[in-house]
């Protein structure tokens, strides 16, 4: 008896040496993103490693590096006259002696854009998942990112419980994020006059989120997931670089104001996804409805179809349709007449718009345990309000359609 | 705007699915060969999903929505 | 009460369970009276099964002379998938094919993989849902205890 016990413990020890089949997985991608008209361009390498410690205990780590360049609209409207703006980084609460003030000009008829110079962001994510008994899973993790004017740190945790022979799974997650905003040149006092240049020091915001979801197996080839998310942001939510044009009754520019957003924002989302396998083909169809306390409502419909090409290759076309309504305080410009609105923003991301995406991914097996992929996507965002009745704004594209292209190279490998 | 009008019936659908789940919906544990395929995972390409989320987060007002449990082979 | 249910099911099963195996040999659990049976339900798509096979090989070779029979019931719908799995995870124990899932249904299998340890009198002594690396030693002790006590 004792001899066989010893034999088994030895066997067990040697077994751990020849452990799990896939102990380490690498997922990597190189993203190239480019907008039209000399706007934002980004190159982003991402590397993700997943280590399986056996028995469903997994450690996940991701590193993302983002380098951004190109111009961003500053929120002011184009005009028939040239407009000059001060480059934000040359503005400072404590200007160094000898610092030159930089300016940028929008020629007549063109959209004022802040020509930012190269910015780099580094972000890291770590997550741990493990079972809790036979039917439950627990996970927790953290996220952090740093860039010139913005730092972020977040923690999240979640629990899921399966029942009904694992056909139904309930999930709950909470997350907490803390961000620090230190805009180049200082954080402007929201709503203040652009010329007066009222700035303040470092600002912060917090985002708390919660998610509850149910995943249900509907058939041998059909799985669905329904999630409800609520998140609440509070703090400095204004974009420190965006301004609004102050226009008189005819549409002439009489000045500019920094934007001013409320210091809280609550948002609810309902997300529903269905995955259906039809032979070797897999359909992924999702719908998301979102609404927030700023008055923005949105609908997103998205579909992916994975078409198996055999010999380890597949093609995956993708289509997405997105619609959002404008924020209550969104406006193309602010009127010089009458009192200033409490909250105001001309940020195109808060406008009524429709975004459409068409994409195609091609993947091929690389050796026994790897996969190479190429993904091409085209995104087009068309705002609803692109013109105005004001006489001085005639013939101007006040909010141009955005076009962006994504090229992504991917490599997956199982060690 | 559809707002709460749409949310309510969808939440009810979700809840009734949850309750119905205890009876007839689903497959036997040994019938999960299709669900076990990696492409049938809820987030089959996590990197693509993360990259897309990042792009849309910086260009649109809504964001996120995904979660992490369920489906798959149901093993262990 | 639950265990009694399983035992009852197993006893009634013992009388009537005959399914075709790979080589058209009928699987008759009754015929294994006098031996300890480790009955395992597996599939090619079941991740933990990749770990259970080496363990089952070891336990089978260790205790074959003492009267242990490891029987692994495959529930794959496609035989080819099961055979591909066996190519990379060879089995030195008996494999039975049940693509229609009659046996797991009768045994009340609730998760994959599941194994039953059946004593020499044909009674189900325990069931194990899932296969965990951390439980390999204790599982082996359990099988050994049943096989070696007379």
């Amino acid at each position: 008896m004792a001899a066989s016990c010893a034999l088994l413990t030895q066997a067990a020890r040697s077994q751990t040496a020849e452990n799990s089949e896939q102990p380490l997985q690498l997922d990597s991608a190189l993203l190239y993103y480019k907008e039209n008209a000399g706007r934002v361009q980004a190159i982003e390498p991402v590397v993700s490693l997943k280590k399986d410690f056996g028995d469903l205990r997994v450690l996940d780590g991701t590193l993302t590096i983002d380098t951004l360049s190109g111009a961003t609209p500053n929120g002011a409207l184009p005009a028939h006259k040239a407009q000059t703006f001060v480059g934000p980084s040359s503005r400072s609460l404590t200007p160094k002696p000898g610092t030159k003030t930089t300016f940028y000009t929008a020629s007549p008829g063109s959209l004022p854009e802040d020509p930012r110079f190269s910015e780099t962001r580094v972000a890291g994510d770590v997550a741990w998942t493990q079972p809790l008994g036979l039917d439950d899973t627990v996970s927790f993790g953290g996220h952090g990112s740093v860039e010139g004017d913005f730092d972020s740190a977040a923690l999240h945790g979640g629990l899921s419980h399966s029942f009904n022979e694992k056909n139904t799974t309930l999930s709950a997650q909470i997350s907490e994020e803390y961000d620090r905003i230190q805009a180049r040149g200082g954080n402007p006092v929201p709503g203040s006059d652009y010329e007066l240049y009222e700035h303040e020091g470092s600002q912060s915001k917090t985002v708390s989120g919660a998610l509850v979801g149910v995943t249900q197996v509907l058939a041998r080839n059909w799985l669905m997931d329904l999630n409800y998310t609520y998140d609440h942001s509070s703090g400095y939510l204004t974009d420190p670089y965006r301004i609004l044009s102050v226009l008189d009754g005819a549409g002439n520019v009489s000045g500019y104001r920094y934007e001013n957003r409320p210091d809280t924002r609550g948002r609810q989302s309902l997300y529903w996804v269905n995955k259906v396998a039809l032979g070797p083909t897999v359909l992924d169809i999702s719908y998301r409805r979102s609404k927030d306390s700023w008055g923005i409502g949105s609908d997103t419909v998205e579909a992916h179809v994975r078409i198996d090409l055999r010999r380890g290759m597949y093609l995956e076309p993708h289509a997405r349709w997105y619609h959002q309504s404008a924020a209550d305080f969104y406006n193309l410009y602010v009127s010089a007449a009458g009192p200033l609105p409490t909250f105001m923003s001309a940020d195109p991301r808060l406008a009524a718009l429709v975004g459409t995406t068409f994409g195609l991914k091609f993947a091929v097996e690389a050796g026994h345990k790897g996969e190479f992929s190429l993904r091409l996507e085209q995104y087009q965002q068309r705002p609803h309000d692109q013109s105005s009745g004001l006489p001085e704004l005639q013939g101007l594209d006040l909010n141009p359609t955005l076009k962006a292209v994504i090229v992504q190279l991917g490599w997956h490998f199982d060690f | 705007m559809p707002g709460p009008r749409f949310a309510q019936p969808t939440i009810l659908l979700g809840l009734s699915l949850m309750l119905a789940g205890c009876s007839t919906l689903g497959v036997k544990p040994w019938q999960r060969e299709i669900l076990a395929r990696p492409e049938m995972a809820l987030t089959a390409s996590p990197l693509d999903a993360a990259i897309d989320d990042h792009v849309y987060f910086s260009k649109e007002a809504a964001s996120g929505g995904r979660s992490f449990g369920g489906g798959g082979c149901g093993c262990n | 009460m639950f265990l009694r249910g399983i035992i009852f099911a197993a006893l009634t099963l013992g009388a009537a369970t005959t399914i075709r195996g790979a080589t058209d040999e009928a699987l008759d659990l009754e015929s294994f009276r006098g031996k300890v049976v480790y009955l395992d339900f597996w599939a090619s798509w079941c991740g933990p099964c990749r770990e259970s096979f080496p363990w089952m090989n070891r336990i089978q070779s260790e205790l074959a002379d003492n009267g242990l029979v490891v029987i692994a019931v495959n529930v794959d719908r496609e035989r080819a998938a099961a055979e591909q799995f066996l190519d990379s995870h060879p089995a030195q124990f008996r494999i039975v094919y049940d693509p229609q899932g009659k046996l797991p249904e009768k045994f009340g299998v609730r998760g994959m993989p599941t194994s039953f340890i059946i004593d020499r009198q044909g009674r189900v002594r325990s069931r194990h849902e899932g296969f965990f690396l951390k439980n390999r030693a204790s599982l082996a002790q359990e099988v050994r205890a049943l096989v070696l006590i007379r």
Side-chain angles (χ1 to χ4, degrees):
Chain A
M1 189 74 161
S4 52
C5 281
L7 206 71
L8 188 74
T9 7
Q10 220 167 25
R13 245 182 251 131
S14 65
Q15 225 168 8
T16 47
E18 46 138 2
N19 216 348
S20 313
E21 295 258 325
Q22 288 163 353
L24 192 64
Q25 279 187 355
L26 168 80
D27 225 338
S28 64
L30 183 63
L31 169 77
Y32 174 69
Y33 170 87
K34 179 154 172 60
E35 290 174 4
N36 62 333
R39 287 168 64 168
V40 174
Q41 185 179 287
I43 293 175
E44 185 178 302
V46 187
V47 177
S48 182
L49 282 170
K50 189 151 90 163
K51 171 125 180 97
D52 186 345
F53 289 91
D55 296 342
L56 297 176
R57 293 169 311 143
V58 180
L59 183 67
D60 229 303
T62 306
L63 181 69
T64 308
I65 301 173
D66 231 311
T67 51
L68 274 144
S69 59
T72 315
N74 66 9
L77 289 180
H80 288 293
K81 302 193 192 108
Q83 301 176 80
T84 304
F85 304 92
V86 184
S89 19
S90 67
R91 290 185 143 181
S92 172
L93 283 170
T94 50
K96 292 194 190 82
T99 314
K100 231 166 63 131
T101 309
T102 57
F103 299 90
Y104 62 92
T105 310
S107 53
S110 58
L111 188 71
E113 287 173 339
D114 174 3
R116 71 165 92 210
F117 30 86
S118 194
E119 268 180 23
T120 306
R121 179 185 78 115
V122 179
D125 284 82
V126 141
W128 171 256
T129 309
Q130 69 168 72
L132 218 58
L134 271 180
D135 302 320
D136 300 343
T137 305
V138 68
S139 89
F140 46 85
H143 165 93
S145 80
V146 291
E147 61 195 282
D149 51 8
F150 184 83
D151 302 320
S152 173
L155 289 171
H156 61 88
L159 206 58
S160 79
H161 174 71
S162 297
F163 55 98
N164 185 26
E165 289 179 328
K166 299 208 177 159
N167 282 302
T168 312
T169 306
L170 294 175
S171 304
Q173 276 181 67
I174 51 165
S175 66
E176 191 67 32
E177 177 183 318
Y178 175 79
D179 302 331
R180 199 174 55 162
I181 302 120
Q182 290 175 301
R184 289 172 277 127
N187 297 315
V189 170
S192 60
D193 190 306
Y194 183 69
E195 300 305 326
L196 292 180
Y197 181 52
E198 295 167 63
H199 284 56
E200 33 194 28
S202 176
Q203 293 293 309
S204 69
K205 80 172 200 272
T206 57
V207 185
S208 308
L211 177 154
V212 288
V214 55
T215 308
Q216 177 70 47
V217 171
L218 294 172
R220 238 168 149 141
N221 65 337
W222 188 6
L223 178 70
M224 74 138 240
D225 182 36
L226 183 67
N227 296 340
Y228 171 77
T229 315
Y230 178 74
D231 58 78
H232 184 89
S233 312
S234 115
Y236 187 88
L237 307 181
T238 300
D239 186 323
Y241 303 120
R242 288 204 207 255
I243 57 179
L244 292 102
S245 299
V246 181
L247 307 178
D248 67 13
N252 292 303
V253 178
S254 67
Y256 308 94
R257 283 259 161 191
Y258 281 103
E259 63 160 50
N260 187 0
R261 304 187 193 189
D263 59 10
T264 59
R265 180 186 193 182
R267 178 167 56 194
Q268 299 181 76
S269 264
L270 200 59
Y271 174 74
W272 189 32
V273 61
N274 280 270
K275 293 202 80 128
V276 183
L278 300 167
T281 304
V282 178
L283 268 103
D284 182 322
I285 301 169
S286 67
Y287 169 70
R288 182 188 59 184
R289 169 80 197 151
S290 194
K291 204 161 118 77
D292 72 8
S293 61
W294 287 358
I296 302 173
S298 74
D299 296 281
T300 314
V301 182
E302 193 164 7
H304 288 89
V305 182
R306 187 190 200 266
I307 302 164
D308 190 45
L309 298 173
R310 306 230 242 153
R311 300 214 243 145
M313 299 188 288
Y314 69 85
L315 209 58
E316 190 174 88
H318 167 226
R320 178 182 185 271
W321 181 85
Y322 175 82
H323 169 264
Q324 82 178 31
S325 62
D328 297 332
F329 52 86
Y330 168 82
N331 238 309
L332 281 172
Y333 62 89
V334 155
S335 172
L340 217 53
T342 325
F343 300 118
M344 53 188 174
S345 173
D347 187 339
R349 293 174 304 177
L350 303 182
L353 55 87
V354 170
T356 53
T357 310
F358 290 104
L360 190 63
K361 176 177 177 178
F362 171 70
V364 58
E365 243 170 55
H368 180 50
K369 304 201 257 179
E371 181 190 277
F372 279 124
S373 62
L374 174 66
R375 196 163 76 107
L376 295 161
E377 303 256 313
Q378 202 221 46
Y379 179 60
Q380 186 164 297
Q381 188 182 86
R382 201 174 157 282
H384 192 260
D385 298 314
Q386 296 183 293
S387 61
S388 160
L390 294 187
E392 284 302 312
L393 297 178
Q394 295 313 300
L396 294 171
D397 187 355
L398 303 178
N399 204 348
T401 296
L402 170 79
K403 290 191 188 151
V405 128
I406 290 172
V407 179
Q408 179 190 320
L409 284 167
W411 181 45
H412 178 93
F413 192 75
D414 297 329
F415 288 92
Chain B
M1 279 292 130
R5 283 206 324 266
F6 199 104
Q8 262 164 14
T10 324
I11 292 173
L12 283 171
L13 169 70
L15 285 172
S16 47
L17 276 172
M18 266 167 59
L19 300 167
C22 300
S23 49
T24 51
L25 274 176
V27 298
K28 292 285 167 201
W30 54 91
Q31 295 176 328
R32 298 183 75 117
E33 72 282 352
I34 296 175
L35 298 165
R37 282 158 51 183
E39 57 268 21
M40 278 297 281
L42 280 174
T43 311
S45 313
L47 234 53
D48 293 355
I51 284 169
D52 280 356
D53 280 354
H54 180 212
V55 169
Y56 298 123
F57 174 80
S58 50
K59 293 290 145 194
E60 296 168 353
S63 69
R66 300 176 211 266
S67 109
F68 85 133
C73 84
C75 301
N76 273 19
Chain C
M1 191 174 100
F2 193 61
L3 196 60
R4 243 186 270 148
I6 297 178
I7 294 169
F8 177 74
L11 286 173
T12 42
L13 266 167
T17 309
T18 304
I19 67 171
R20 298 273 138 198
T23 53
D24 266 344
E25 265 177 48
L27 170 65
D28 183 2
L29 284 172
E30 266 268 316
S31 69
F32 293 100
R33 283 289 162 86
K35 301 242 188 217
V36 172
V37 176
Y38 184 89
L39 184 67
D40 180 77
F41 289 90
W42 68 280
S44 64
W45 43 265
C46 152
C49 300
R50 299 184 200 129
E51 307 296 338
S52 66
F53 268 52
W55 182 89
M56 288 194 285
N57 278 332
R58 262 186 288 272
I59 202 83
Q60 173 68 102
S61 71
E62 184 197 321
L63 299 170
D65 296 339
N66 299 95
L68 173 71
V69 179
V70 173
I71 304 173
V73 180
N74 173 260
V75 296
D76 269 285
R77 220 174 16 172
E78 310 272 325
R79 175 73 69 94
E83 287 181 347
Q84 194 172 45
F85 182 94
L86 291 170
D87 284 342
S88 43
H89 305 84
Q92 279 101 52
F93 44 81
R94 196 186 219 94
I95 304 282
V96 170
Y97 296 93
D98 183 14
Q100 304 203 314
K102 295 195 181 110
L103 265 182
E105 181 83 61
K106 285 184 170 167
F107 269 87
V109 165
R110 281 195 321 251
M112 288 296 291
T114 295
S115 58
F116 298 88
I117 302 176
I118 303 163
D119 67 15
R120 299 180 194 272
Q121 289 75 47
R123 289 190 304 247
V124 174
R125 296 293 283 257
S126 71
R127 88 190 273 151
H128 292 275
E129 258 178 53
F131 186 82
F132 298 90
L133 299 172
K134 61 181 176 17
N135 295 342
R136 286 175 299 187
S138 62
L139 194 59
Q141 299 286 48
E142 198 186 324
V143 174
R144 195 173 297 115
L146 202 60
V147 171
L148 297 174
I149 49 157
R150 278 250 152 244

